[in-house]
Amino acid sequence: MSFQTDNKLIKWFDDRLPLVTVMHHTFVQHPYPRNLNFAYQFGSILGVMLTLQIVTGIVLAMHYTAHTSMAFDSVEHIMRDVNYGWLLRYMHANGASMFFIAVYLHMFRGLYYGSYKAPREMIWMIGVVILLVMMATGFMGYVLPWGQMSFWGATVITNLFSALPIVGDPIVTWLWGGFAVDNPTLNRFFSLHYLLPFVIFGLVFLHLVALHQKGSTNPLGIEIKGPADYISFHPYFTVKDFFGFAVFGTVFAVFVFWFPNYLGHADNYIPADPLVTPAHIVPEWYFLPFYAILRAVPDKLMGVLAMFAAIGVLFILPWLDRSRVRSAAFRPQYKWFFWIFALDCVVLGYVGSQPAEGLMLVISRIATIYYFAHFLILMPVLGWFERPKPLPTSIAEAVLAGKTSTSEGEKA
Amino acid sequence: MVYRSIKVLAAALVGLGLTTGAALAAGEVKPPRTVDWHHSGPFGTYDRAQVQRGFQVYKEVCASCHGLKYIAYRNLMEIGFSEDQAKAIAGEYTVEDGPDASGDMFERPARLSDKIPSPFPNANAAKASNGGAYPIDLSLAAKARVGGEDYLYSLLSGYTDDTHGHECSTGTYYNPYFPGSCLAMPPPLLDDLIEYVDGTPATTEQMSKDVSAFLTWTAEPKMEERKQMGFKVIVFLIIMAGLLYAAKRRIWARLH
């Protein structure tokens, strides 16, 4: 149904290009389950973060110079001589971290409430693609200041591709644009770092199209059955989402204004020097669990494959999970395994930050095996053995009986 | 499966505990001594007198080997020097400019807009004069080292003859705070090495602290502005969150 209005201009416009109808449908009318809890805030927060990263990034790019001999100085120029340049850069750098915090929480929410299950596989899979593109963007962004960790991070990560048989070395040369990480590498990373956020923007659009096609899940994991089950996006979720922005924004602001370098590495304030290797090359915190998986495998090629498989396995998760019940609220065993899995990811992140030797290596191997076992063994097997709790007949019934599932897993 | 998960969990927890202990036992590097800086904390500001003293230490001691290339003389007005004082300081330096109309480079006294000139024309010249070791540019030193200004202070005041059995090769000096324990920089500060303009006794301790505070400012010159803006932003966001939460409660109350 098209947007109803008496304004002739808007009518004329909307009749020919239904933008107003689409916006009205998306941000006003669209029905959402009435029982969404605060774990469902992160989608809209991510939309805001993406916009913020693009806006701050475009302004930073006006002052940044993508050349090995000038990049580091141009970043310091931004920090010292550009009006509010320090604010832009700290927002952008910490914004990347906050973006990943939000995306991981968003994904854990999806895992807890079974958001990836039929008929929402496409929403989930597009989401995994977004994660991959985000990782590429974040990685290349960290290279741009051309500090020590930029340079050596770029060297280590691009070298991973050399593990591939036959095509490995040509791929690495192609990525570098030469025979080492150098100016051509920096230039192409800058170009791609500017491009990929817009690719993410397009993917987010698809993510939302798929979401609107099947509607949001909810903490009960049952579908909307009647008008009593849903409420319109506006005003209920607009006000709730804005509250979410303010809370998330406060955490973001604490980092930007008081701990702007806490999530970075001191080494990246040393200009890149191809002749001096830092004692400890560590990627950004949001890559640490995957870095741990990479190093847990003794063979380089197998390590690289394991690292990519750690994300690849998410693609097939909708088919690995054999449970008929979506929400962990009604899955007594899965609920436990969910939290163990979350802990496993934290453990992987921790060991990823430590030198891969001794006990850390042992832990990283156990945690890696558990990571894959969770998806490849637990998810299929649990579906058969678990006795789910009885589901409520409708969302409205459960909500009005005071048994809102908001108390159930609001920490997810 | 459950049993295995518990074992994983236990192993992880034990692992965390053990490695912390092991790291401390094996660690040769002493953790930096922490200082209660005037600029620490959410409202901390630079102690102008201290930072100015630190500049004096830099100018009279460090500057013979270390550059400060991101700092211009005009920036000195941010730490409490008057424009005339900053101009006078700039006037003590000569910088190369040019080419002039006939194509020659020439030297002239520095102006406020000039950056502080580095003591060596390039890294190789710096290394050649320092036994192969490169004296880093100090502009970002406080952010480029784990431990920040605490580390700089501990390092500068931490040289000791008590080497705990470490043998440092000729041309390197033992310092327990330095990763690797032996560094190429000889102890740069001695008691009363300089005479402070403001009459503060120039102990090694005092000079180390002052120059570390100065270098914190050179690394993060916008810190005061940042913290002040941050306070306003965070107060705004918290009030905003409170109002939005009230609005949310009120709007959602229609549903029940």
Side-chain angles (χ1 to χ4, degrees):
Chain A
M1 195 173 70
S2 64
F3 179 63
Q4 300 301 304
T5 176
D6 291 333
N7 185 315
K8 289 215 172 71
L9 184 66
I10 294 178
K11 248 186 178 156
W12 182 91
F13 178 82
D14 196 52
D15 190 41
R16 282 148 185 85
L17 180 69
L19 274 186
V20 183
T21 297
V22 170
M23 298 299 269
H24 183 74
H25 179 70
T26 309
F27 295 111
V28 178
Q29 267 185 333
H30 192 78
Y32 280 85
R34 61 187 295 166
N35 60 335
L36 296 189
N37 59 26
F38 283 108
Y40 281 78
Q41 301 283 108
F42 294 102
S44 61
I45 286 172
L46 284 161
V48 173
M49 288 313 295
L50 176 61
T51 312
L52 209 59
Q53 289 300 89
I54 289 179
V55 171
T56 53
I58 287 173
V59 183
L60 286 170
M62 295 175 189
H63 301 280
Y64 169 78
T65 310
H67 189 282
T68 50
S69 66
M70 287 179 273
F72 193 89
D73 286 351
S74 74
V75 171
E76 279 310 308
H77 161 71
I78 290 168
M79 292 298 286
R80 290 159 197 270
D81 294 329
V82 173
N83 289 333
Y84 298 105
W86 59 270
L87 178 62
L88 286 167
R89 185 170 93 92
Y90 279 155
M91 279 177 76
H92 197 74
N94 287 285
S97 282
M98 298 307 288
F99 205 151
F100 274 96
I101 289 174
V103 93
Y104 286 144
L105 291 172
H106 190 60
M107 292 175 73
F108 275 117
R109 189 269 292 151
L111 291 175
Y112 191 84
Y113 291 122
S115 306
Y116 50 85
K117 290 168 76 70
R120 297 182 180 80
E121 301 95 323
M122 282 309 291
I123 312 176
W124 173 260
M125 288 161 73
I126 295 167
V128 177
V129 178
I130 294 175
L131 175 70
L132 274 172
V133 183
M134 273 178 67
M135 289 177 140
T137 312
F139 160 65
M140 289 192 275
Y142 200 64
V143 175
L144 301 185
W146 210 243
Q148 272 290 67
M149 216 49 105
S150 301
F151 178 88
W152 289 99
T155 305
V156 169
I157 302 296
T158 50
N159 256 318
L160 293 179
F161 291 92
S162 70
L164 298 172
I166 305 163
V167 292
D169 285 325
I171 286 183
V172 174
T173 308
W174 177 74
L175 283 173
W176 287 342
F179 300 103
V181 174
D182 207 338
N183 200 48
T185 325
L186 178 60
N187 272 309
R188 63 193 54 200
F189 277 18
F190 179 49
S191 171
L192 293 172
H193 183 72
Y194 207 119
L195 167 72
L196 291 183
F198 297 96
V199 173
I200 295 176
F201 202 86
L203 289 165
V204 167
F205 177 76
L206 296 181
H207 195 60
L208 288 180
V209 170
L211 173 71
H212 285 191
Q213 177 74 4
K214 288 296 169 191
S216 172
T217 56
N218 64 79
L220 293 172
I222 55 178
E223 295 295 337
I224 288 175
K225 294 202 174 92
D229 289 346
Y230 65 77
I231 47 183
S232 59
F233 188 73
H234 183 73
Y236 299 105
F237 290 103
T238 37
V239 70
K240 195 174 176 180
D241 282 357
F242 272 97
F243 170 66
F245 300 158
V247 172
F248 194 78
T250 307
V251 179
F252 184 20
V254 167
F255 277 107
V256 168
F257 293 107
W258 285 328
F259 304 100
N261 294 306
Y262 181 76
L263 297 166
H265 303 112
D267 277 45
N268 228 26
Y269 281 109
I270 304 171
D273 185 347
L275 301 176
V276 181
T277 318
H280 211 127
I281 302 173
V282 189
E284 287 277 76
W285 71 265
Y286 39 81
F287 294 131
L288 290 175
F290 302 102
Y291 194 54
I293 290 173
L294 167 78
R295 297 187 306 174
V297 183
D299 180 74
K300 187 177 171 187
L301 175 61
M302 296 318 275
V304 172
L305 293 179
M307 183 177 70
F308 282 107
I311 295 171
V313 72
L314 295 172
F315 277 105
I316 52 168
L317 174 62
W319 295 276
L320 289 173
D321 181 355
R322 307 307 301 170
S323 175
R324 279 159 294 120
V325 174
R326 275 198 199 95
S327 171
F330 301 99
R331 301 185 58 185
Q333 276 89 49
Y334 174 67
K335 194 194 268 182
W336 275 100
F337 285 113
F338 168 84
W339 288 111
I340 295 169
F341 175 72
L343 182 75
D344 187 60
C345 292
V346 174
V347 168
L348 278 170
Y350 176 76
V351 293
S353 73
Q354 301 297 309
E357 57 199 24
L359 195 63
M360 286 295 125
L361 191 59
V362 177
I363 295 171
S364 73
R365 285 179 179 159
I366 298 169
T368 299
I369 291 168
Y370 187 81
Y371 181 96
F372 286 104
H374 175 85
F375 289 112
L376 298 173
I377 301 171
L378 274 172
M379 292 304 266
V381 169
L382 263 183
W384 280 312
F385 288 99
E386 193 174 47
R387 290 277 155 270
K389 289 193 220 160
L391 296 173
T393 36
S394 79
I395 295 171
E397 186 201 79
V399 171
L400 298 177
K403 276 182 68 186
T404 55
S405 58
T406 31
S407 58
E408 196 64 271
E410 59 196 347
K411 294 182 283 311
Chain B
M1 268 305 163
V2 179
Y3 177 59
R4 183 169 155 199
S5 318
I6 291 169
K7 275 209 299 199
V8 173
L9 185 63
L13 290 176
V14 169
L16 291 176
L18 278 184
T19 37
T20 339
L24 282 177
E28 295 174 359
V29 184
K30 230 167 139 176
R33 283 171 291 154
T34 50
V35 177
D36 187 18
W37 301 99
H38 195 271
H39 58 257
S40 307
F43 304 102
T45 52
Y46 291 118
D47 176 346
R48 296 295 187 278
Q50 183 179 40
V51 172
Q52 289 187 12
R53 283 197 304 273
F55 172 65
Q56 195 188 341
V57 177
Y58 167 75
K59 195 167 80 128
E60 296 181 19
V61 184
C62 320
S64 56
C65 299
H66 292 279
L68 202 63
K69 64 177 176 178
Y70 295 120
I71 301 299
Y73 294 103
R74 64 181 159 82
N75 295 128
L76 295 176
M77 292 188 279
E78 296 162 23
I79 52 170
F81 286 108
S82 68
E83 187 170 339
D84 288 336
Q85 283 173 316
K87 273 184 182 157
I89 293 166
E92 296 169 22
Y93 292 78
T94 45
V95 292
E96 192 181 51
D97 201 349
D100 61 14
S102 53
D104 299 319
M105 302 302 281
F106 59 93
E107 296 212 321
R108 60 161 173 78
R111 301 186 198 116
L112 285 183
S113 57
D114 286 313
K115 298 273 167 79
I116 293 182
S118 296
F120 300 103
N122 54 58
N124 283 0
K127 281 184 198 165
S129 305
N130 286 281
Y134 176 58
I136 59 161
D137 186 275
L138 292 179
S139 312
L140 286 165
K143 285 203 290 194
R145 294 292 181 274
V146 177
E149 57 268 45
D150 287 338
Y151 168 77
L152 297 182
Y153 155 74
S154 303
L155 186 84
L156 289 171
S157 58
Y159 285 90
T160 168
D161 294 331
D162 181 14
T163 62
H164 297 281
H166 279 281
E167 292 278 340
C168 287
S169 56
T170 324
T172 65
Y173 304 84
Y174 177 73
N175 192 314
Y177 299 99
F178 185 72
S181 305
C182 299
L183 79 164
M185 175 170 72
L189 301 172
L190 297 166
D191 288 345
D192 300 316
L193 183 65
I194 65 169
E195 199 171 314
Y196 274 132
V197 178
D198 66 1
T200 306
T203 59
T204 304
E205 181 80 7
Q206 185 68 40
M207 287 186 286
S208 304
K209 251 183 213 166
D210 293 348
V211 79
S212 302
F214 170 70
L215 293 176
T216 311
W217 169 74
T218 63
E220 198 64 22
K222 309 289 182 182
M223 184 205 71
E224 293 181 357
E225 189 185 352
R226 166 160 65 72
K227 287 178 178 172
Q228 281 155 16
M229 185 192 286
F231 180 70
K232 288 179 210 154
V233 168
I234 286 164
V235 167
F236 171 82
L237 283 171
I238 289 172
I239 293 172
M240 192 75 184
L243 289 173
L244 283 164
Y245 187 68
K248 189 253 165 196
R249 295 274 303 218
R250 201 154 171 176
I251 288 169
W252 280 65
R254 293 180 204 165
L255 291 172
H256 297 292

